[in-house]
């Protein structure tokens, strides 16, 4: 609090900028409120999660000393630096800018929640004084005697003498030198590997090396089955030259020279492939909705089917599925994944504008599709870490020298930048390499260097413009060849792809997309309502030379002549034709006997099977029937479009504080600084105040109100104003002083004062 009040407005604004969590609550009217939010446990842990390795190392050093405050000289000596070392000062500045560690004269103070950040900081135990607090006087005197100390008259004297002896490194090493060989080896190992000892593993406490260490105070038992080595003993046994790790400089990644033109070409190729594969995947989902597992996610069988359809590997299918879902292009309905409402507009856009939502979804994707082997569209802890790591990955690539690209995945640098998110190399060998490969697949990184797309993503720049420079416009023409194939050199326009998909089968994609025409594919187009002449006209309109190969024209016209010669109408499934000989041939065909055909008239047959089965059997036998409705009009067969609403996104928390950190800093510094009379009321104190000032409430209502005030959680109250008019409100308690309750009122969207005697009822919101 005192430190905050002494800061210039610019430094206080820097803290608010780096700790945006403090702005997400009710407006602050004083530095007291800011100090309280900065000490919130969850907020402190979240802020520490974004610290680089040297800052975490200093937190571990400060915690290892175990006191509420530690001198700068102690910290500097522990890491082998001088107090005025510039790298040490820079790291402490990083901590101060997040209000995690700050100067207080010659000492350093640390946010309360961080005193429990590491279970055993530096693999050291608690200080001896803390461990000896519960020891009996007889045990303390025995330890003092074993260390060659006077046994002392009072408990305080004995504790002070023992702690002083254990803090003397030379004395501790001398005591260890006189120990039995097994005790020396055992204690040396504990000093480096960790302070906790399970006594049963090392023999009985009365005879083994543990017993010797306990008698000399080098281990302190907890009264159960464990013992801990005091931090002073651990540091002494590590030797006078031991220093805590402190790595203020990031590791240097391995790089190689890359040409900007090569990076541009590679990024363009990757972006083009990304759009094509994502488009093909979404088209496959539109044609056949993806079945979800009962436990959630897309299983291996569906992933293999989609991979075969799209023409890529299963990892890429996972990536495009995740990006499409995050971008709102697919959604879930009744254990199926279907295209969402925005899919059609996305599909009609040019390649650059199709890429943009995929890239934006990728930057903060809460999943690691290339590092997992389970079901797709599921979440795990690695995915939550990846949400924050991708921007750091791009920033690390951006920090490389111009004309240089990383030869690896920058894992070591990222472990230095965000060690709490990345973890150790043993945690998951595929985690960071998977993110690095994702960056290449979406075109954000190429040849290990940041591309224009990655730069726009990182700086929140003009991403559509960057995508437009890499991706050419969609191709609206096709090259039709004599082998009944059509070639589109580039990304096909939506209308062209729809036309070719209707009349041909897509065979390949990549730098160019190929379709192949066949009698079956043309018949499918005619079944979907295309007339032969209209289909030919549409294909000529998109042909590069304006003309189609003779073989393709013959195929379409020949199928067109046959199409519809046999018509099926859904009246107990009747077949009719103008040619009696053709119907006689069909009636006698052996392959069609399962239909149970019977001649009703020379030009009419009846089938015992439904319309769909009859049509399928006729087509399988080599005929080209067409469907009719009950009035004799041609029935058009189209695959119905299935769409679901885009998945809802979690709204960002509404910021009630000032949007300008500098303005808020100036206002807080200008406000009167009120020094609280004491610490925040304890639950017992709150309960007493509620009992004394709100006797009108029931026991249950008092309990709910006490919990809300103690925890600062929302609560719904019925409140009577000075005029006697009641109103229902949801409030978020801030402070309690006697009968006066300060709280954020959601009804008025302002901080208000409430009197406990006027609260009529209390309930959970």
């Amino acid at each position: 609090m005192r430190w905050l009040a002494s800061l210039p407005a610019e430094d206080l604004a820097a803290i608010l900028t780096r700790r945006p969590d403090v702005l997400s609550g009710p407006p602050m009217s004083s530095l007291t409120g800011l100090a309280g939010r900065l000490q919130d446990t969850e907020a402190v842990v979240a802020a520490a999660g974004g610290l680089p390795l040297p800052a975490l190392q200093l937190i571990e050093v400060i915690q290892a000393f175990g006191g509420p405050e530690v001198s700068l000289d102690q910290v500097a000596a522990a890491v082998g630096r001088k107090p005025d070392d510039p790298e040490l000062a820079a790291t402490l500045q990083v901590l101060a800018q997040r209000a995690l560690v700050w100067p207080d004269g010659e000492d350093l103070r640390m946010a309360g929640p961080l005193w429990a950040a590491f279970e055993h900081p530096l693999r050291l135990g608690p200080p001896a004084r803390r461990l000896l607090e519960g020891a009996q006087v007889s045990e303390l005197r025995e330890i003092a005697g074993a260390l060659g100390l006077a046994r002392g008259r009072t408990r305080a004297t004995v504790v002070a003498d023992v702690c002083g002896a254990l803090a003397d490194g030379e004395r501790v090493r001398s005591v260890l030198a006189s120990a039995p060989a097994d005790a020396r080896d055992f204690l040396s190992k504990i000093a480096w590997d960790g302070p906790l000892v399970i006594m049963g593993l090392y023999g009985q406490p009365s005879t083994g090396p543990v017993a010797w260490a306990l008698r000399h105070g080098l281990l302190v038992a907890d009264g159960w089955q464990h013992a801990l080595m005091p931090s002073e003993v651990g540091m002494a046994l590590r030797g006078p030259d031991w220093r805590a790790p402190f790595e203020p400089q990031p590791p240097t990644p391995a790089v190689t020279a890359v040409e900007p033109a090569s990076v541009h070409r590679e990024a363009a190729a990757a972006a083009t492939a990304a759009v094509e594969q994502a488009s093909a995947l979404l088209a496959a989902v539109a044609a056949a909705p993806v079945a979800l597992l009962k436990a959630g996610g897309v299983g291996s069988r569906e992933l293999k089917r989609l991979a075969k359809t799209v023409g890529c590997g299963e990892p890429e299918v996972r990536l495009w599925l995740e990006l499409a879902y995050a971008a709102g292009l697919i959604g879930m309905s009744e254990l199926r994944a279907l295209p969402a409402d925005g899919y059609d507009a996305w599909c009609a856009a040019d390649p650059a504008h199709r890429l943009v939502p995929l890239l934006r979804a990728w930057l903060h994707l809460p999943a690691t599709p290339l590092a997992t082997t389970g079901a797709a569209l599921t979440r795990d802890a690695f995915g939550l870490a990846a949400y924050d790591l991708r921007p750091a990955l791009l920033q690390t690539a951006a920090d490389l020298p111009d004309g240089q690209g990383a030869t690896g995945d920058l894992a070591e640098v990222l472990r230095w930048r965000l060690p709490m998110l990345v973890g150790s190399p043993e945690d998951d060998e595929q985690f960071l390499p998977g993110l690095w490969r994702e960056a290449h697949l979406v075109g954000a990184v190429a040849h290990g260097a940041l591309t224009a797309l990655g730069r726009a993503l990182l700086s929140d720049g003009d991403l559509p413009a960057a995508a437009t420079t890499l991706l050419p416009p969609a191709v609206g023409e096709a090259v039709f060849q004599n082998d009944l194939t059509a070639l589109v050199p580039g990304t096909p326009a939506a209308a062209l792809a729809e036309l070719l998909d209707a009349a041909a089968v897509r065979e390949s994609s990549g730098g160019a997309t190929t379709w192949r025409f066949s009698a079956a594919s043309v018949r499918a187009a005619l079944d979907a309502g295309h007339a032969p002449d209209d289909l030919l006209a549409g294909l000529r309109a998109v042909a590069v030379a304006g003309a189609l190969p003779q073989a393709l024209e013959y195929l379409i016209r020949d199928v067109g002549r046959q199409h519809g010669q046999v018509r099926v109408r859904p009246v107990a499934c009747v077949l009719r034709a103008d040619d009696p000989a053709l119907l006689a041939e069909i009636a006698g065909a052996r392959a069609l006997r399962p239909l149970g055909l019977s001649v009703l008239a020379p030009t009419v047959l009846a089938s015992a099977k439904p319309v769909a089965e009859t049509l399928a059997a006729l087509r399988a036998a080599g005929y080209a029937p067409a469907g009719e409705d009950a009035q004799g009009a041609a029935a058009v067969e189209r695959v119905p479009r299935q769409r679901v609403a885009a998945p809802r996104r979690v709204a960002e928390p509404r910021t009630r504080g000032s949007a300008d950190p500098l303005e808020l800093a100036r206002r807080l510094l200008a406000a009167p600084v009120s020094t609280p009379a004491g610490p925040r009321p304890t639950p017992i104190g709150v309960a007493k105040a509620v009992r004394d000032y709100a006797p009108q409430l029931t026991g249950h209502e008092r309990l709910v109100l006490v919990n809300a005030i103690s925890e600062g959680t929302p609560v719904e109250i019925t409140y009577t104003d000075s005029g006697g008019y009641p109103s229902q409100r949801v409030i978020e308690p801030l402070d309690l002083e006697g009968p006066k309750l300060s709280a954020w009122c959601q009804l008025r969207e302002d901080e208000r004062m409430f009197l406990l005697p006027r609260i009529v009822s209390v309930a959970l919101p």
Side-chain angles (χ1 to χ4, degrees):
M1 175 68 181
R2 182 176 57 196
W3 171 66
L4 290 175
S6 67
L7 290 175
E10 291 74 12
D11 291 349
L12 184 57
I15 292 176
L16 295 173
T17 301
R18 289 169 174 80
R19 292 285 302 275
D21 53 281
V22 304
L23 301 178
S24 61
M28 289 171 291
S29 58
S30 67
L31 286 173
T32 305
L34 173 61
R37 291 191 194 175
L38 289 173
Q39 296 296 306
D40 179 75
T41 300
E42 291 186 7
V44 169
V45 172
L51 290 176
L53 179 61
L56 278 180
Q57 289 173 331
L58 288 189
I59 289 176
E60 193 170 5
V61 168
I62 295 172
Q63 184 189 345
F65 284 100
E69 53 191 40
V70 178
S71 71
L72 177 59
D73 292 341
Q74 284 179 293
V75 174
V79 297
R81 300 294 179 104
K82 294 182 178 180
D84 59 352
D85 180 78
E87 292 181 330
L88 178 62
T91 306
L92 288 172
Q93 180 69 10
V94 169
L95 291 167
Q97 288 177 340
R98 289 162 176 78
L100 299 175
V101 175
W102 58 91
D104 184 11
E106 296 298 324
D107 295 326
L108 296 173
R109 288 188 176 272
M110 188 162 70
L114 290 182
W115 288 106
F118 298 90
E119 183 178 8
H120 299 300
L122 301 177
R123 297 187 179 181
L124 296 171
R129 184 173 297 276
R130 188 188 307 172
L131 291 175
L132 294 172
E133 286 177 352
Q136 297 180 1
V137 176
S138 58
E139 294 175 354
L140 293 171
R141 288 175 176 167
E142 182 181 358
I143 293 173
L147 294 175
L149 304 172
R151 295 182 179 268
R153 293 184 178 181
T154 66
R155 174 188 177 84
T157 303
V158 180
V159 170
D161 291 345
V162 170
C163 290
L166 295 179
D168 185 347
E170 291 297 332
R171 179 190 287 269
V172 171
R173 287 188 288 272
S174 175
V175 170
L176 183 66
S178 64
D182 58 344
R184 287 198 304 271
D185 295 341
F186 164 69
L187 290 172
S188 297
K189 182 177 185 300
I190 295 300
W192 288 100
D193 294 347
L196 182 65
V197 175
I198 302 176
M199 291 187 288
L201 296 179
Y202 297 96
Q204 295 300 320
S206 60
T207 58
V210 174
W212 188 94
L214 290 172
R215 285 195 299 271
H216 289 78
L218 304 187
L219 290 178
V220 179
D222 64 355
W224 298 92
Q225 297 295 320
H226 302 93
L228 284 168
M229 177 178 285
S231 59
E232 299 92 332
V233 176
M235 287 188 280
L237 297 186
R238 292 179 184 183
D241 297 329
W242 174 81
R243 295 292 180 269
F246 180 59
E247 304 169 43
Q249 294 299 325
T252 302
V255 296
T256 185
V258 292
E259 293 292 335
S262 177
V263 173
H264 182 87
R265 287 193 301 271
E266 181 68 17
T272 300
V275 172
E276 290 179 351
Q277 292 182 6
S279 300
L281 174 71
L282 286 166
V285 174
V290 177
L292 302 179
L293 300 174
K294 291 183 179 179
V298 180
S300 175
R301 179 179 299 179
E302 287 285 17
L303 291 174
K304 290 179 180 178
R305 176 180 72 83
L306 291 172
K308 184 176 181 180
T309 302
V310 177
C312 64
E314 285 187 44
E316 287 80 5
V317 169
R318 293 175 183 273
L319 177 61
W320 308 135
L321 271 176
E322 292 282 2
L323 294 183
Y325 179 73
L329 301 177
I330 60 174
M332 310 297 179
S333 176
E334 298 178 352
L335 288 179
R336 295 185 305 166
L338 302 168
D341 295 334
Y343 165 67
D344 299 295
W346 178 87
C347 196
D350 57 51
H353 287 86
R354 284 190 234 173
L355 180 64
V356 168
L358 299 179
L359 282 171
R360 287 179 174 152
W362 172 78
L363 185 62
H364 288 295
L365 182 69
T368 54
L370 301 189
T372 56
T373 56
L377 296 179
T378 56
R379 299 292 175 260
D380 56 21
F382 286 109
L384 297 178
Y387 179 92
D388 294 314
L389 273 175
R390 289 188 182 89
L393 178 68
L394 295 185
Q395 184 60 58
T396 304
D399 292 341
L400 296 176
D402 292 338
Q404 302 288 321
T407 58
D409 53 18
L410 301 177
E412 292 303 319
V413 182
L414 281 174
R415 287 192 180 94
W416 184 91
R417 284 179 179 264
L418 295 169
M420 290 188 69
L421 292 179
V422 177
S424 63
E426 295 79 17
D427 287 342
D428 191 330
E429 297 179 355
Q430 300 301 319
F431 181 37
L432 289 179
L435 297 184
W436 187 241
R437 187 175 170 223
E438 286 177 19
H440 283 78
L441 286 174
V442 300
V445 174
H447 293 304
L450 196 67
T451 66
L453 291 175
R455 199 167 293 108
L457 270 177
L458 189 60
S459 62
D460 199 20
D462 192 348
L463 189 58
T468 302
T469 60
L470 287 176
L471 290 171
V475 178
E477 294 182 320
V479 178
F480 293 90
Q481 304 178 100
N482 289 323
D483 61 351
L484 296 180
T485 60
L487 178 69
V488 178
T491 303
L496 175 60
E498 184 178 3
L499 175 62
L500 293 177
D501 283 335
V505 177
R506 193 182 301 219
E507 286 192 336
S508 65
S509 59
T513 309
T514 304
W515 280 264
R516 180 170 296 278
F517 292 87
S518 66
S521 68
V522 173
R523 187 171 61 231
L526 300 183
D527 290 339
H530 293 276
D533 292 339
D534 294 340
L535 180 59
L536 286 170
L539 294 175
R540 290 192 192 102
V542 298
V544 172
L548 299 176
Q550 197 173 47
L552 180 57
E553 292 212 15
Y554 282 169
L555 173 66
I556 294 175
R557 293 192 182 281
D558 184 55
V559 173
R561 282 193 298 270
Q562 299 178 44
H563 188 264
Q565 289 184 356
V566 178
R567 297 179 179 272
V568 178
R569 66 174 61 182
V571 181
C573 198
V574 174
L575 291 73
R576 72 177 186 85
D578 296 330
D579 186 357
L582 176 60
L583 277 189
E585 175 188 335
I586 291 174
R590 179 177 299 178
L592 297 177
R593 286 180 182 175
L595 295 179
L597 297 174
S598 59
V599 179
L600 301 181
T603 58
V604 180
L605 295 179
S607 172
K609 298 293 182 181
V611 173
E613 293 185 29
T614 302
L615 287 171
L618 289 170
R619 288 165 182 163
Y623 298 95
E628 284 186 350
D629 60 18
Q631 286 72 38
V636 176
E637 298 178 19
R638 292 191 179 95
V639 177
R641 288 189 175 186
Q642 302 182 72
R643 302 289 185 266
V644 295
R648 295 181 61 185
R649 296 289 174 264
V650 177
E652 294 294 328
R654 181 166 59 93
T655 299
R656 298 182 184 135
S658 170
D660 183 0
L662 183 57
E663 177 188 347
L664 176 59
R666 288 171 177 160
R667 181 160 55 83
L668 292 175
L669 290 171
V673 178
S674 59
T675 303
R680 182 180 178 87
T682 63
I684 295 177
V686 173
K688 185 178 183 302
V690 171
R691 182 195 64 193
D692 293 342
Y693 296 110
Q696 72 279 6
L697 300 177
T698 66
H700 174 71
E701 289 175 331
R702 291 181 197 173
L703 184 62
V704 172
L705 184 59
V706 168
N707 182 71
I709 297 174
S710 302
E711 302 294 333
T713 54
V715 65
E716 183 177 342
I717 65 172
T718 301
Y719 188 74
T720 303
D721 61 15
S722 58
Y725 296 100
S727 62
Q728 280 193 321
R729 311 179 183 215
V730 175
I731 62 172
E732 299 173 27
L734 299 175
D735 194 17
L736 178 64
E737 184 178 352
K740 299 177 181 180
L741 174 62
S742 299
W744 172 264
C745 178
Q746 295 186 5
L747 177 65
R748 304 302 182 193
E749 293 193 348
D750 194 7
E751 185 176 337
R752 295 296 175 92
M753 182 73 70
F754 299 91
L755 296 177
L756 293 182
R758 292 184 179 176
I759 298 178
V760 179
S761 65
V762 179
L764 293 174

